[in-house]
Amino acid sequence: MSDKPTSQLIRDHGRQIARLDIAEQRAGELATEVDRLNSAVLEGASRLDFNDEPARFSALLLAYRQAKIK
Amino acid sequence: MTDTGLLNLSLTEVASAIRRKKLSSVEVTRACLEHAARVQPKLNCFISLEADEALKAARKADQALKRGSKVGPLHGVPLAHKDMFYRAGKISTGGSKILREYRPKVTATVVERLAAAGAIWMGGLNMAEFAANPTGHNDHWGHCRNPWNPAHMTGGSSSGSGSAVAARACYGALGSDTGGSVRLPAAACGVVGLKPTSGLISRYGILPRSWSQDTVGPLTRTVRDCARVTRVIAGADPKDPTCVAEPAADYERALAGRIKGLRIGVPVNHYYDGATDDVRKRMDESLAVFRSLGARVAEIKVPDPQEIFLLSSTVSQSEAATMHGAWIRTRPQDYSFYVRSRMEAGFHIPATAYLQAINLRAHLLDEFMREVYGKVDFLHTPVMVMPPPTIAETEPKAAGDVAGIVSRITRNTRPTNYLGLPALSVPAGFSKSGLPIAFQLMGRPFSEALIFRAAHLYQQETDWHSRMPSL
């Protein structure tokens, strides 16, 4: 399961799902970029928990807020 | 006072002179407008100059003082802003071709707050198209240029804000920072720039770039000026529910304290990779100043910023692709390839990966807080690892060049946006070739008062912020 996205996948996805026509060379560049980003997410995702939700981030910022300074 | 002397005053100095009637708002505004018109052919920092309206507002400001009316902390002070802060019925281009004639129906909360504090609106400043590049290139409105050497980039996306403030064409400017867009032009142009904690300053009525990571921040010449503008624009806003539900702190008053005993962390990983000798030298010198102020400086290993960088890019590309999707499909020719290529991957990232990247924010923030801000009060790093490159060096020749250019420029700024933490870019001197170099001080959530204090004390010991480019 380590196949990387190909330029053909990006072109097909563009045409069939996103309604975008993508040139062959650009599709190759995008395949590399999508792989780089998607891999970073998948590798980081082992940290995630079933109960996670986006609003936890803002709550955590407040929880960690700097104490009032003198 | 000569025009040069007047233009070289800081924002707080000129506000005080107007309030004490030593200077009138009309003479200050006129001097800025004339200087702006003089530097514009060289720097291209303005998209629009509203001379008549600005002078009319300045006359009203002077009349209000004569009547003895109660005035705000920016009374009569001319400011200009990145051309993406909406005013109902007035054109706001976003630096784009698509929005060349766009007249929003709403006014940004920060614009209302600046006006209520008495600030004068001089005009709209150049910016990267749709706030989407970190260099200051703009194919539709022309590249913005660095006042220290017009062949060099200003940094972006708040390019005009950095250039105009450094050039003394206005006393301060608003910018927006999604991956470094305030700090980079501040650093490249030699001024101060704040990326606030997410939720400190309202984003209502601004052009969006990445909803989850957009922040608004001021660019000014001194830390005190930045503290004043931040106080005016920060605080709860019912129109932006992501804003924290309390009023802004008195950041200017907090400048008066000390930083003795506070701990400054210097990362041993990532932030100095590829740093030039010039940059390393200026960072060492600035750390020596902090040591002399009583701070303790220690090396620290930080959680992998490269991972954070990639997660941040996943979020911003997905969100940008979502908001630009309709125009990309119907009028792709109206985007520069620089900007189009900054969002194209977003169309191919699965929604589940985007949402995982969003949910990972809390985990990475938690990790960063425990491993970094459990041990130190600030992180100190270069904003860029090199002096600002030339415009030609950072001009992409093809879409495939863009990711490399962007990651080289934003590698030290972008992680902070994903984590939502505050960071202040502060001038730290010049390269051998006379180009500005800057450090950023980063801190805990909502630690702007402490960051301002440390940076202000640094500016009391140095004079980099008072150097003026010859134009």
Side-chain angles (χ1 to χ4, degrees):
Chain A
M1 291 284 285
S2 62
D3 285 351
K4 290 181 182 302
T6 60
S7 58
Q8 191 57 50
L9 173 75
I10 296 294
R11 293 193 82 187
D12 290 346
H13 184 267
R15 213 168 24 243
Q16 295 166 22
I17 307 290
R19 298 186 186 171
L20 290 167
D21 197 15
I22 302 161
E24 177 70 36
Q25 188 190 330
R26 184 62 186 145
E29 291 162 359
L30 285 173
T32 306
E33 176 71 353
V34 168
D35 181 51
R36 202 165 72 104
L37 300 177
N38 202 44
S39 297
V41 174
L42 291 175
E43 281 157 29
S46 59
R47 298 180 181 91
L48 292 172
D49 180 83
F50 175 76
N51 293 301
D52 280 336
E53 58 145 322
R56 186 169 163 248
F57 173 71
S58 305
L60 204 58
L61 274 178
L62 283 170
Y64 274 123
R65 68 182 307 161
Q66 173 76 41
K68 285 223 165 79
I69 60 169
K70 288 177 198 157
Chain B
M1 188 180 288
T2 63
D3 268 8
T4 308
L6 188 155
L7 294 170
N8 213 23
L9 292 174
S10 71
L11 177 151
T12 47
E13 286 168 342
V14 87
S16 164
I18 292 170
R19 181 183 285 259
R20 289 184 290 114
K21 298 181 191 158
K22 302 282 182 203
L23 291 170
S24 72
S25 176
V26 166
E27 65 184 306
V28 169
T29 304
R30 183 169 286 130
C32 282
L33 288 166
E34 285 171 4
H35 186 59
R38 210 163 33 241
V39 299
Q40 176 66 6
K42 208 170 196 178
L43 303 179
N44 193 30
C45 48
F46 280 85
I47 283 180
S48 60
L49 255 180
E50 299 178 14
D52 293 344
E53 294 91 331
L55 285 168
K56 193 173 159 196
R59 275 191 287 276
K60 275 175 86 174
D62 287 336
Q63 284 159 5
L65 268 174
K66 263 190 202 143
R67 284 196 307 272
S69 306
K70 196 175 169 203
V71 299
L74 300 174
H75 189 80
V77 178
L79 306 177
H81 308 294
K82 188 176 187 178
D83 202 26
M84 56 168 275
F85 292 92
Y86 298 163
R87 292 173 298 157
K90 304 271 190 185
I91 289 176
S92 183
T93 68
S96 69
K97 181 176 180 184
I98 289 176
L99 298 180
R100 190 174 275 272
E101 300 296 330
Y102 177 56
R103 292 177 191 271
K105 293 193 174 85
V106 302
T107 298
T109 296
V110 288
V111 170
E112 285 177 345
R113 288 180 179 172
L114 289 173
I120 307 289
W121 179 289
M122 277 178 66
L125 294 168
N126 203 350
M127 58 181 285
E129 179 186 359
F130 287 118
N133 79 55
T135 53
H137 287 73
N138 189 314
D139 288 348
H140 309 299
W141 296 92
H143 305 330
C144 191
R145 294 180 178 275
N146 194 313
W148 296 95
N149 184 337
H152 286 254
M153 68 161 215
T154 52
S157 60
S158 312
S159 49
S161 305
S163 182
V165 173
R168 274 61 175 168
C170 58
Y171 292 94
L174 291 184
S176 67
D177 192 315
T178 305
S181 288
V182 163
R183 287 163 288 157
L184 292 165
C189 296
V191 301
V192 172
L194 174 71
K195 184 264 158 205
T197 309
S198 296
L200 182 73
I201 297 174
S202 170
R203 301 162 305 122
Y204 177 77
I206 70 163
L207 176 121
R209 162 73 186 142
S210 165
W211 303 294
S212 303
Q213 299 178 100
D214 288 341
T215 57
V216 172
L219 294 92
T220 57
R221 293 198 292 269
T222 72
V223 173
R224 181 179 289 282
D225 294 350
C226 199
R228 178 164 304 183
V229 178
T230 302
R231 169 122 205 244
V232 167
I233 61 176
D237 177 16
K239 291 177 182 165
D240 178 357
T242 66
C243 258
V244 291
E246 52 186 274
D250 188 344
Y251 301 114
E252 228 175 315
R253 180 183 255 181
L255 300 179
R258 300 193 307 160
I259 57 165
K260 191 170 163 51
L262 292 183
R263 299 155 300 172
I264 296 179
V266 178
V268 292
N269 55 324
H270 182 85
Y271 285 93
Y272 280 84
D273 294 351
T276 64
D277 291 345
D278 280 357
V279 168
R280 287 177 188 277
K281 185 165 184 286
R282 294 306 182 196
M283 293 305 109
D284 287 347
E285 288 169 356
S286 64
L287 288 165
V289 172
F290 284 114
R291 278 194 198 91
S292 75
L293 291 164
R296 288 181 287 159
V297 177
E299 291 188 337
I300 186 166
K301 185 164 190 292
V302 300
D304 183 14
Q306 186 56 24
E307 180 189 20
I308 303 171
F309 184 98
L310 293 172
L311 294 172
S312 173
S313 297
T314 303
V315 171
S316 65
Q317 293 227 32
S318 302
E319 293 182 352
T322 305
M323 63 183 80
H324 287 277
W327 288 331
I328 287 278
R329 288 182 187 97
T330 55
R331 46 195 300 191
Q333 72 285 358
D334 290 339
Y335 287 90
S336 67
F337 76 81
Y338 199 155
V339 170
R340 211 167 56 229
S341 65
R342 298 255 9 242
M343 62 180 93
E344 276 178 312
F347 289 103
H348 307 285
I349 292 166
T352 47
Y354 164 71
L355 287 166
Q356 284 176 315
I358 287 283
N359 274 346
L360 278 166
R361 284 183 98 183
H363 290 273
L364 274 97
L365 173 63
D366 200 28
E367 229 170 77
F368 209 87
M369 290 305 298
R370 282 186 281 107
E371 292 181 26
V372 176
Y373 293 112
K375 297 171 184 160
V376 297
D377 299 289
F378 307 106
L379 272 187
H380 174 291
T381 80
V383 177
M384 288 189 292
V385 292
M386 68 297 208
T390 63
I391 291 172
E393 283 166 343
T394 46
E395 173 99 54
K397 305 288 181 290
D401 299 341
V402 171
I405 292 170
V406 170
S407 61
R408 192 160 69 100
I409 305 282
T410 63
R411 66 191 311 284
N412 283 4
T413 52
R414 180 170 285 286
T416 319
N417 295 75
Y418 183 78
L419 298 172
L421 298 171
L424 187 72
S425 175
V426 183
F430 294 84
S431 67
K432 282 186 222 100
S433 52
L435 292 160
I437 288 171
F439 64 82
Q440 59 179 342
L441 271 187
M442 300 177 269
R444 301 186 182 97
F446 304 100
S447 66
E448 281 81 357
L450 198 58
I451 292 173
F452 281 141
R453 177 188 291 178
H456 172 70
L457 289 170
Y458 171 82
Q459 288 199 325
Q460 302 312 293
E461 302 296 318
T462 57
D463 70 349
W464 305 120
H465 57 287
S466 60
R467 306 280 178 97
M468 192 174 172
S470 58
L471 285 161

